[in-house]
Amino acid sequence: MMNLLVNIDHVATLRNARGEGYPDPIEAAEVCEKAGASGIVFHLRGDRRHIRDEDVYRLKKSVRGTLDFEMAATDEMIDICKEVDPHLCTLVPEGREELTTEGGLKMESVFDDYKNRVFPKLKETNIEISLFLDPNPEDIELAAELGANAIELHTGTFANADPQKRRHELTRLRKGAKLINELGMKVNAGHGLNLDNLPDLLETVPHLHDVSIGHALISKSVYWGLEKTVKAYLEIMEDYA
């Protein structure tokens, strides 16, 4: 079964641009779920540039489907995540100057810290742990060694590739998904996906469980409205279910 999770970060970005209380990301999440989305994604960043702490707790009360807490693996975020108790936390790299997450975790550099500090804290809960990775076999194997429940494949390189390189990136994603599945983890995917490139991904990459889409979906909804936009993505996904 393949699920659409909608990232509502940039509803909060628009709200924060004027310092007003609208548009409300919690209301956006409710509209997305009513339109058929299986859940909601948010990224609470260290600088609180879009989602804020109060949004997180309101989302926990409001969201009826899967709630995916994207975060850097800092002690602060781990503590908040454990208190909020979402269904899923997705650990991502986070740079202060980046506009958006620019690539997957480099597992060799974070492995010891994740093994000794991060995973023991999160394993005290029932929260599933997903790691945001590029489709590199070495990274995927280290994630399995840690005991990750899922891998979210970073699809941004595919999404931004020119036509010649796109097929190569799809091949990497397909191989990565097969390995993740063989190692007993869920295959999730996200970053840079839109109405134009999503069909190629779904046609090529097997075992997809959760597909997270945010910026492109929220942007299109400025013209179409959230309900119509969510349903357009779901129609594509139903063709490949």
Side-chain angles (χ1 to χ4, degrees):
M1 181 177 178
M2 185 165 45
N3 302 310
L4 172 64
L5 304 187
V6 179
N7 186 313
I8 45 81
D9 288 350
H10 293 299
V11 177
T13 300
L14 184 57
R15 174 197 63 190
N16 298 349
R18 283 284 297 268
E20 305 286 354
Y22 59 86
D24 183 2
I26 286 71
E27 183 179 358
E30 292 172 352
V31 172
C32 290
E33 286 198 294
K34 287 179 181 178
S38 297
I40 299 298
V41 185
F42 66 88
H43 184 171
L44 183 65
R45 285 180 170 266
D47 61 10
R48 308 313 198 259
R49 68 175 66 168
H50 34 61
I51 293 295
R52 299 170 178 165
D53 296 58
E54 59 268 26
D55 298 325
V56 175
Y57 292 95
R58 292 175 63 215
L59 285 166
K60 171 61 178 180
K61 292 180 180 179
S62 173
V63 172
R64 297 292 176 257
T66 299
L67 186 62
D68 180 4
F69 188 150
E70 285 190 358
M71 64 185 213
T74 64
D75 287 336
E76 178 195 27
M77 290 301 159
I78 292 171
D79 288 344
I80 295 172
C81 185
K82 290 174 68 175
E83 184 176 353
V84 172
D85 192 31
H87 301 92
L88 176 68
C89 76
T90 300
L91 300 176
V92 301
E94 184 175 304
R96 183 171 293 276
E97 300 302 324
E98 67 185 6
L99 292 176
T100 184
T101 306
E102 295 176 346
L105 292 161
K106 308 304 179 188
M107 290 307 301
E108 186 175 359
S109 64
V110 303
F111 183 85
D112 288 342
D113 181 42
Y114 276 36
K115 180 179 179 179
N116 297 318
R117 179 181 64 89
V118 178
F119 270 64
K121 289 183 177 181
L122 290 171
K123 288 291 186 179
E124 295 172 356
T125 72
N126 292 318
I127 303 167
E128 290 193 359
I129 305 171
S130 175
L131 302 181
F132 186 68
L133 301 180
D134 294 306
N136 300 320
E138 299 83 1
D139 289 328
I140 293 168
E141 289 166 358
L142 287 174
E145 187 176 339
L146 284 173
N149 303 103
I151 301 297
E152 180 175 337
L153 287 169
H154 172 228
T155 54
T157 305
F158 148 71
N160 294 320
D162 61 42
Q164 289 184 334
K165 292 183 179 179
R166 180 167 289 190
R167 184 52 52 185
H168 171 69
E169 292 303 324
L170 282 170
T171 299
R172 293 180 66 221
L173 290 166
R174 184 180 71 248
K175 291 179 178 179
K178 289 181 177 179
L179 179 58
I180 293 166
N181 183 67
E182 290 170 3
L183 292 172
M185 297 176 288
K186 292 178 183 178
V187 182
N188 298 336
H191 206 76
L193 298 174
N194 58 43
L195 291 168
D196 295 325
N197 59 36
L198 182 60
D200 285 344
L201 180 82
L202 301 184
E203 183 176 356
T204 308
V205 179
H207 311 301
L208 289 171
H209 189 270
D210 293 340
V211 178
S212 298
I213 304 177
H215 186 260
L217 190 154
I218 299 302
S219 297
K220 180 63 75 173
S221 73
V222 172
Y223 307 102
W224 285 5
L226 265 177
E227 181 179 358
K228 179 180 177 180
T229 307
V230 169
K231 288 182 177 180
Y233 278 93
L234 288 171
E235 286 177 5
I236 292 174
M237 294 175 70
E238 287 169 2
D239 290 339
Y240 296 91

